């Protein structure tokens, strides 16, 4: 790796610290370097708060008595193009110009209409040397949730399920656990990293899932359930008012504390599309679909998925409800305790 790539890799490491807290903003990290030494670091820590560039500059100002002079001979590395507009915070490009940072190295452009090249133009107009495209693909992949929401006007969709070694998803009646405790804990970590988690009617009724992160430390996602006729018992964990819960239905739109009922049309033809568009309007940037088999297959058939995470346990059932099938090749595989985790990416 070149020096520029090493510093950009550090930006991505910093950016990852904001996972689960900055959506619908992108995760961004920034590093300031002077005389071959890192003098300041920062990342976007929470939605609505200071961006990575601001925190990196503040880091220098707080630690060096000659901070302004150091900034004037430094290079800023940032994983995403600095913003050029007033949003929740002032434009980062203006702050870079204010402190006369002479060079900025950018991982990738921001596709958001209010930015997309405008931040780079503002820096260059101020005489700042701008280099873009360092670890470009890595930076694009890192913020794939953000880019999917902006480019496709829907959340980044992750399918997740467990299956037996002979390909069964669930028993024909009742409930049986397939994956290990380690896989369960990993699932809770994933929930803490995404905006929302969705299940279908039968999964809610048969499994009574809590859809929280009790096995992990982090914030709970929005819970989403599909209940066309609003016939799910209110005694289910989903209705305990402990976290924001969306109920997509064909009956009413109403708010009851933490429970939001959203009426949808086209239940028989365009249900996945309608759900995706409503979540986009609500700034939901990423969604995990955890079942059941019918719900997963609805999104697969509609081509509305980006990634699938499949746990395969050691059990053999010989009968039951078959697991969904993907028209995709495995991209990654690893062992999680007694399970095998296989990750797929949808080819576009």
């Amino acid at each position: 790796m070149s020096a520029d790539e090493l510093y950009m890799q550090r930006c991505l490491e910093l950016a990852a610290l904001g996972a689960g807290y900055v959506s619908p903003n992108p995760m961004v990290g920034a590093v300031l370097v002077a005389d071959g030494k890192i003098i300041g670091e920062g990342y976007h820590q929470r939605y609505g708060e200071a961006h990575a560039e601001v925190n990196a500059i503040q880091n220098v100002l707080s630690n060096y008595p000659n901070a302004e002079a150091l900034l004037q001979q430094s290079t800023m590395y940032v994983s995403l193009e600095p913003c050029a507009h007033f949003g929740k915070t002032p434009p980062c490009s203006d702050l870079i110009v204010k402190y006369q940072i002479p060079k900025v190295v950018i991982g990738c452009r921001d596709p958001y209409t209010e930015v997309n090249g405008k931040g780079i133009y503002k820096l260059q107009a101020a005489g700042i040397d701008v280099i873009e495209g360092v670890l470009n693909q890595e930076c694009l992949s890192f913020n794939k949730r953000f880019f999917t929401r902006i480019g496709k006007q829907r959340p980044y969709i992750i399918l997740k399920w467990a299956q037996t070694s002979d390909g069964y998803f669930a028993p024909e009646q009742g409930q049986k656990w397939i994956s290990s405790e380690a896989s369960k804990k990993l699932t809770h970590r994933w929930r803490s990293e995404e905006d929302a988690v969705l299940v279908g009617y039968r999964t809610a009724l048969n499994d009574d899932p809590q859809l929280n992160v009790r096995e992990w430390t982090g914030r709970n996602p929005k819970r989403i359930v599909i209940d066309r006729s609003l016939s799910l018992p209110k005694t289910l964990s989903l209705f305990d008012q402990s976290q924001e819960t969306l109920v997509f239905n064909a009956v009413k739109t109403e708010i009851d504390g933490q429970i939001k009922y959203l009426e949808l049309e086209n239940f028989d033809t365009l249900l996945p599309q309608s759900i995706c568009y409503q979540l986009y309007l609500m700034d939901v940037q990423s969604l995990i679909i955890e079942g059941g088999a019918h719900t997963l297959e609805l999104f697969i058939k509609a081509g509305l998925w980006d990634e699938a995470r499949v746990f395969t346990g050691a059990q053999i059932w010989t009968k039951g409800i078959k697991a969904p099938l993907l028209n995709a090749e495995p991209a990654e595989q690893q062992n999680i305790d007694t399970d095998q985790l296989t990750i797929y990416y949808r080819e576009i």
Side-chain angles (χ1 to χ4, degrees):
M1 271 191 171
S2 67
D4 282 353
E5 290 172 335
L6 286 170
Y7 291 130
M8 191 59 66
Q9 183 61 46
R10 178 57 182 162
C11 289
L12 292 176
E13 291 171 359
L14 290 165
L17 299 175
Y21 297 100
V22 302
S23 179
N25 283 352
M27 296 177 287
V28 184
V31 171
L32 281 156
V33 177
D35 295 324
K37 174 187 174 183
I38 293 177
I39 59 170
E41 295 184 333
Y43 67 97
H44 186 28
Q45 299 179 15
R46 193 173 294 274
Y47 176 69
E49 297 183 2
H51 289 185
E53 301 93 321
V54 177
N55 287 329
I57 289 171
Q58 188 57 52
N59 188 217
V60 177
L61 294 173
S62 299
N63 289 300
Y64 294 91
N66 61 336
E68 294 198 16
L70 273 176
L71 289 170
Q72 291 171 20
Q73 57 184 356
S74 69
T75 297
M76 173 175 279
Y77 293 84
V78 60
S79 54
L80 187 69
E81 177 183 3
C83 62
H85 66 294
F86 282 88
K88 293 286 185 181
T89 60
C92 293
S93 52
D94 286 356
L95 192 68
I96 295 169
V97 172
K98 174 185 174 181
Y99 284 102
Q100 302 176 49
I101 296 170
K103 183 177 179 179
V104 177
V105 179
I106 297 167
C108 64
R109 288 200 178 199
D110 186 336
Y112 182 52
T113 305
E114 296 294 328
V115 185
N116 202 357
K118 296 180 178 70
I120 291 172
Y121 175 79
K122 186 175 282 191
L123 296 176
Q124 291 175 330
I128 294 171
D129 181 20
V130 178
I131 296 173
E132 61 174 305
V134 174
L135 295 188
N136 182 69
Q137 287 303 314
E138 289 87 341
C139 292
L140 288 170
S141 178
F142 185 81
N143 269 312
K144 56 194 175 186
R145 292 158 180 79
F146 174 72
F147 296 135
T148 297
R149 184 178 67 85
I150 295 297
K152 298 183 179 180
Q153 297 190 337
R154 66 165 175 82
Y156 184 86
I157 298 173
I158 301 166
L159 310 179
K160 176 264 169 184
W161 72 84
Q163 62 186 31
T164 64
S165 60
D166 55 347
Y168 289 98
F169 178 89
E172 293 174 350
Q173 299 291 332
Q175 178 188 23
K176 290 173 70 176
W177 197 261
I178 296 174
S179 54
S180 66
E181 283 297 315
S183 296
K184 180 181 178 183
K185 181 172 287 189
L186 180 56
T187 295
H188 286 218
R189 193 193 88 184
W190 289 342
R191 290 176 184 170
S192 77
E193 296 168 348
E194 311 302 340
D195 286 353
V197 54
L198 179 148
V199 295
Y201 176 89
R202 292 194 179 280
T203 298
L205 184 63
N206 296 335
D207 297 353
D208 190 18
Q210 297 179 57
L211 301 184
N212 58 22
V213 297
R214 61 193 180 277
E215 300 285 340
W216 193 257
T217 300
R219 65 108 173 91
N220 287 316
K222 290 180 174 66
R223 301 185 294 200
I224 304 174
V225 63
I226 302 170
D227 182 8
R228 181 174 185 161
S229 60
L230 295 181
S231 57
L232 285 172
K234 295 303 180 284
T235 53
L236 293 177
S237 298
L238 288 172
F239 301 107
D240 65 8
Q241 296 282 356
S242 64
Q243 64 201 78
E244 185 177 353
T245 302
L246 311 179
V247 184
F248 286 116
N249 68 90
V251 178
K252 66 179 181 180
T253 295
E254 185 177 290
I255 297 176
D256 175 19
Q258 290 270 65
I259 315 298
K260 299 179 180 179
Y261 297 92
L262 296 174
E263 182 181 355
L264 295 180
E265 298 178 356
N266 303 315
F267 250 81
D268 294 321
T269 56
L270 297 171
L271 180 58
Q273 293 86 343
S274 297
I275 288 173
C276 286
Y277 186 60
Q278 287 299 319
L279 294 179
Y280 165 75
L281 293 177
M282 298 173 69
D283 279 339
V284 172
Q285 189 160 265
S286 59
L287 171 68
I288 302 178
I289 300 175
E290 294 196 11
H294 175 69
T295 301
L296 288 161
E297 286 167 354
L298 275 178
F299 281 82
I300 293 169
K301 185 177 180 180
L304 290 172
W305 67 280
D306 300 286
E307 182 178 338
R309 302 171 181 176
V310 182
F311 292 108
T312 301
Q315 301 176 42
I316 298 175
W317 287 359
T318 70
K319 63 179 181 178
I321 298 172
K322 276 289 191 180
L325 295 175
L326 295 171
N327 184 23
E329 294 296 321
E332 304 172 33
Q333 288 186 323
Q334 59 178 296
N335 292 325
I336 307 295
D337 196 10
T338 56
D339 303 325
Q340 182 181 73
L341 170 62
T342 305
I343 297 179
Y344 302 84
Y345 297 101
R346 179 168 170 260
E347 293 185 8
I348 300 173

